């Protein structure tokens, strides 16, 4: 239904003061190829047994093939005491927050204001900054690290405007539900070194955010030792994520296991194992790979060739190797580009992927948005 399409990866750049929210927007109509019928409405039900989807206005719509690309939704309400409307208030932000139907990315704007507020307050007194990651699969898994590192670098006086070094007045805590900063040991080690060098950052692993007392600014986490509380002045939340309810309640969803509720799909062919004329792409997939734009780009190539082969009654020729990519901005002007597949690190270029480089920062900031809209969204990369 969205008239405006968002380049969601660019929300971090808006928060960092490097571009405008409007730079990340394009008219959906301008991205559609000729010959496509666009129904500006949401699917309200799936009926894969009869190869139909249902929409509120159009009713039941038959298909020969179905590609499910619903993405994922944020579940702020899973955190007790927190609502999406709290983002931008009480010292709380989330760079993720957006409304894809309306083409708005409020989280980018309020996080930019949040970063500015931290610097203003750090000029007067000590501030405590808490960042929390959930236990669920997330898209853009490096976003909280981006906010952490860029905030600290901004306090050092770097960024769009140079200023006084205030970072010693800030104490950061990164709380993650997982056991590592990043699932690949080499990237995890590089990030740990960055944090150690910073001197004002602590990590709290195996900590899952369960509740927030917005009035008293206290976050409650579940840990192996039981519940603990952390006070904060500022809080960034990566929200728990899930598949949209219309998919979770359908026969297309995986019924058990790690990805229960997500789209069931073969990890190699991206074809549904029970409904052979259904394929999936992007964040909705219940498979063991990162949820990223880079992953969706690779998956698009797999799907187009496999559907073409299936139309001709041929075996599906293309196999997805689990490729995904996570850019991690370690400071203004430096970035780690963690490319990987099911086997481990898989850099496109013969450069150490654990080293932060100006090159990846420049490509990310100046080229990727244009490549996304002009190439990827048109099936050309």
């Amino acid at each position: 239904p969205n008239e405006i399409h968002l380049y969601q990866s660019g929300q971090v750049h808006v928060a960092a003061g490097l571009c405008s929210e409007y730079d990340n927007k394009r008219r959906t109509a301008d991205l559609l190829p000729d010959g496509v019928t666009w129904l500006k409405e949401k699917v309200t039900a799936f009926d894969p047994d009869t190869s139909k989807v249902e929409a509120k206005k159009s009713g039941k719509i038959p298909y020969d093939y179905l590609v499910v690309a619903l993405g994922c939704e944020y579940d702020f309400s899973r955190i007790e005491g927190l609502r999406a409307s709290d983002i931008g208030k009480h010292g709380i932000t989330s760079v993720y927050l957006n409304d894809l139907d309306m083409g708005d990315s409020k989280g980018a704007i309020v996080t930019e204001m949040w970063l500015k507020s931290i610097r203003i307050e750090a000029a007067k007194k000590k501030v405590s900054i808490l960042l929390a990651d959930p236990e669920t699969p997330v898209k853009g898994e490096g976003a909280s690290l981006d906010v952490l590192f860029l905030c600290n670098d901004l306090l050092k006086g770097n960024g769009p405007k140079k200023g006084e070094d205030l970072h010693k007045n800030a104490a950061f805590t990164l709380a993650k539900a997982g056991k590592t900063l990043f699932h690949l040991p080499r990237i995890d080690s590089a990030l740990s070194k960055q944090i150690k060098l910073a001197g004002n950052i602590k990590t709290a692993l195996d900590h899952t955010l369960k509740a927030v007392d917005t009035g008293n600014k206290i976050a409650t986490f579940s840990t192996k030792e039981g519940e603990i509380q952390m006070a904060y002045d500022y809080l960034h939340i990566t929200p728990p994520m899930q598949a949209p309810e219309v998919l979770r309640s359908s026969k297309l969803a995986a019924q058990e296991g790690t990805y229960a509720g997500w789209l069931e799909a073969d990890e190699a062919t991206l074809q549904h194992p029970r409904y052979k004329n259904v394929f999936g792409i992007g964040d909705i997939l219940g498979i063991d790979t990162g949820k990223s734009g880079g992953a969706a780009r690779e998956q698009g190539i797999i799907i187009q060739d496999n559907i073409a082969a299936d139309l001709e009654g041929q075996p599906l020729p293309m196999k997805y190797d689990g490729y995904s990519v996570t850019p991690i901005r370690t400071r203004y002007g430096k970035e780690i580009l963690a490319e990987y597949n099911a086997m481990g690190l898989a850099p496109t270029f013969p450069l150490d992927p654990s080293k932060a480089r100006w090159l990846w920062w420049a490509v990310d900031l100046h080229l990727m948005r244009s490549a996304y809209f002009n190439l990827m969204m048109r099936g050309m990369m």
Side-chain angles (χ1 to χ4, degrees):
N2 53 311
E3 297 276 356
I4 299 296
H5 182 82
L6 286 177
Y7 174 55
Q8 295 181 69
S9 298
Q11 289 182 210
V12 169
H13 294 146
V14 175
L18 300 168
C19 67
S20 161
E21 181 194 17
Y22 300 101
D23 294 330
N24 294 327
K25 297 182 177 184
R26 296 290 187 276
R27 293 175 64 247
T28 302
D30 294 340
L31 301 174
L32 294 177
D34 295 336
V36 172
T37 300
W38 176 17
L39 302 180
K40 298 181 184 180
E41 50 188 313
K42 286 187 175 182
V43 169
T44 57
F46 292 97
D47 185 0
D49 290 325
T50 63
S51 293
K52 291 184 176 72
V53 297
E54 189 167 347
K56 189 172 182 179
K57 291 185 293 184
S58 298
K60 293 185 177 182
I61 305 165
Y63 60 83
D64 295 309
Y65 287 87
L66 175 67
V67 177
V68 182
L70 288 179
C72 60
E73 64 182 21
Y74 309 132
D75 189 13
F76 287 99
S77 64
R78 189 180 301 191
I79 303 167
E80 183 181 343
L82 184 71
R83 299 167 300 178
S85 58
D86 291 320
I87 306 303
K89 306 171 186 174
H90 319 293
I92 300 173
T93 194
S94 175
V95 75
Y96 279 93
L97 186 64
N98 53 33
D99 185 332
L100 299 182
D101 291 350
M102 300 303 296
D104 293 331
S105 51
K106 177 183 176 182
I109 298 168
V110 298
T111 301
E112 182 180 16
M113 296 170 61
W114 184 84
L115 290 167
K116 290 178 179 178
S117 296
I118 290 172
R119 181 164 176 84
I120 291 170
E121 190 161 347
K124 304 172 186 176
K125 63 176 185 177
K126 301 277 187 179
V127 292
S128 173
I129 304 146
L130 176 62
L131 302 95
D133 275 6
E135 75 278 17
T136 66
V138 300
K139 66 182 184 184
E141 60 183 315
S144 61
L145 290 163
D146 292 336
V147 174
L148 169 66
F149 289 131
L150 292 178
C151 182
N152 204 28
D153 203 39
L154 192 70
L155 288 169
K156 290 178 181 179
N158 299 318
K161 295 181 181 179
K162 300 297 181 183
E164 181 185 357
D165 187 348
L166 305 171
H167 84 282
K168 292 183 179 179
N169 280 351
F172 291 88
T173 300
L174 174 62
K176 292 179 70 72
K179 299 181 184 300
T180 60
L181 294 172
F182 201 81
H183 67 281
L184 296 170
R186 199 160 153 195
I187 304 299
D188 181 66
S189 176
L191 293 172
S192 296
K193 288 178 183 177
Q194 292 277 349
I195 286 174
K196 186 176 181 179
L197 285 171
N200 60 337
I201 302 172
K202 295 190 302 182
T203 58
L205 302 178
D206 272 331
H207 282 55
T208 302
L209 182 62
K210 290 299 182 183
V212 176
D213 181 341
T214 59
N216 293 308
K217 293 190 173 182
I218 296 174
T220 300
F221 294 86
S222 66
T223 73
K224 288 182 178 179
E225 288 73 38
E227 289 192 348
I228 66 165
Q229 293 185 331
M230 293 187 193
Y232 62 85
D233 297 307
Y234 293 91
L235 172 63
H236 178 274
I237 294 174
T238 298
M241 300 183 193
Q242 61 187 5
E245 195 280 332
V246 66
L247 189 282
R248 296 199 311 272
S249 62
S250 78
K251 292 182 178 181
L252 295 177
Q255 301 302 306
E256 57 186 15
T258 304
Y259 297 105
W262 298 88
L263 181 71
E264 189 175 1
D266 182 274
E267 295 205 357
T269 64
L270 307 180
Q271 182 184 45
H272 199 284
R274 291 177 285 115
Y275 299 99
K276 301 300 185 179
N277 60 343
V278 176
F279 291 78
I281 184 173
D283 299 341
I284 193 67
L285 285 166
I287 62 175
D288 192 19
T289 189
K291 298 183 183 298
S292 69
R297 182 190 68 221
E298 296 292 313
Q299 292 158 7
I301 298 169
I302 305 299
I303 289 172
Q304 68 180 20
D305 286 4
N306 283 347
I307 290 179
D310 199 63
L311 280 166
E312 297 175 350
Q314 301 296 319
L316 306 190
M318 296 291 284
K319 308 296 182 185
Y320 176 52
D321 67 357
Y323 175 88
S324 190
V325 57
T326 300
I328 304 170
R329 294 89 174 179
T330 58
R331 55 160 295 176
Y332 281 87
K334 287 288 183 73
E335 182 173 310
I336 288 174
L337 190 67
E339 294 181 281
Y340 58 93
N341 58 28
M343 302 297 292
L345 284 168
T348 302
F349 299 95
L351 297 171
D352 182 355
S354 66
K355 183 177 179 180
R357 300 176 187 275
W358 171 85
L359 173 62
W360 304 139
W361 173 274
V363 170
D364 186 15
L365 180 61
H366 300 297
L367 297 180
M368 284 310 300
R369 182 185 296 103
S370 177
Y372 177 83
F373 284 123
N374 296 321
L375 299 176
M376 180 178 164
M377 291 301 293
R378 301 179 190 282
M380 297 170 63
M381 67 172 285

